[in-house]
Amino acid sequence: MTQYFYDKVQPKTKKGADAQYALSIYLPPAHCVDRNAKIEKKFDNVQAAQVKALLNNHTKCELCTEPKNVIASRTVLTSENKVEHSEHVLLYPVGKSLMDKLLAEARDQSCVVFYSYNSPCVQTCLQSADNILEGLRNWINKRKGKMNAFVFQEIWQKDMMDKNLETEFKKIDEIVPLYRCMRNRKEMECRKCVDNNFVDPFCLPKEK
């Protein structure tokens, strides 16, 4: 699934670098437990291209595909000239967010995945007044006991030296299971980040 996101949806900056964005999708449970499940059957190439085009144009996907199973956004500049990070865009305002609209469409027997290209930044997404934790709780409170996952690929570059990253990742995992999927020789390797209060080094910056 995450390889498909990278190959088919990943937006680019003007300089051609991978741009930060967040996407959430609901799928049949098999797509979250069976590596052989084909996401193209629920989010095909045409729909993925549609989402990518919107993101490259700095426009949000608000249930923009025909199945109404995807939302996505890049970081945006608000009317007050404030930067709103992509994860926050999808999760707020609580109760009226794009995530709330997605969850209203999702069936009870489904898997909801929240994907962010970069890990949520510590300073804004996890520690500031604009943190995303309440938004995550709102999501899980509506889907208690169901299949949910928060997935990131890269570690936000400004957090590469943050000594509190383990603590912050635990905060997320306490609410929703946190995973990292990282490209390794053009293939995605995914692991759960926290188990028994231990953070897998796979989810942290490599020690130099």
Side-chain angles (χ1 to χ4, degrees), residues 105-124:
E105 296 286 339
R107 300 176 181 85
D108 286 344
Q109 297 302 318
S110 63
C111 173
V112 173
V113 176
F114 189 100
Y115 170 83
S116 176
Y117 176 69
N118 285 305
S119 60
C121 66
V122 171
Q123 185 174 355
T124 301

Side-chain angles (χ1 to χ4, degrees), residues 26-117:
Y26 73 85
L27 296 161
H31 289 267
C32 292
V33 295
D34 183 357
R35 292 182 62 89
N36 296 317
K38 301 296 184 183
I39 189 173
E40 295 94 328
K41 293 183 178 180
K42 299 297 180 180
F43 182 41
D44 65 30
N45 289 335
V46 173
Q47 294 159 357
Q50 180 183 352
V51 176
K52 183 175 182 176
L54 290 172
L55 293 173
N56 277 329
N57 197 37
H58 293 270
T59 304
K60 291 179 283 187
C61 168
E62 304 183 20
L63 300 174
C64 61
T65 62
E66 187 176 337
K68 293 187 176 181
N69 65 341
V70 177
I71 55 174
S73 180
R74 291 175 68 167
T75 295
V76 302
L77 191 64
T78 68
S79 57
E80 300 174 344
N81 287 325
K82 292 183 179 179
V83 173
E84 184 178 11
H85 289 205
S86 55
E87 305 97 319
H88 198 276
V89 173
L90 299 187
L91 293 167
Y92 288 81
V94 169
K96 298 180 179 180
S97 67
L98 292 182
M99 190 64 165
D100 287 299
K101 293 179 181 179
L102 179 78
L103 296 178
E105 296 286 339
R107 300 176 181 85
D108 286 344
Q109 297 302 318
S110 63
C111 173
V112 173
V113 176
F114 189 100
Y115 170 83
S116 176
Y117 176 69

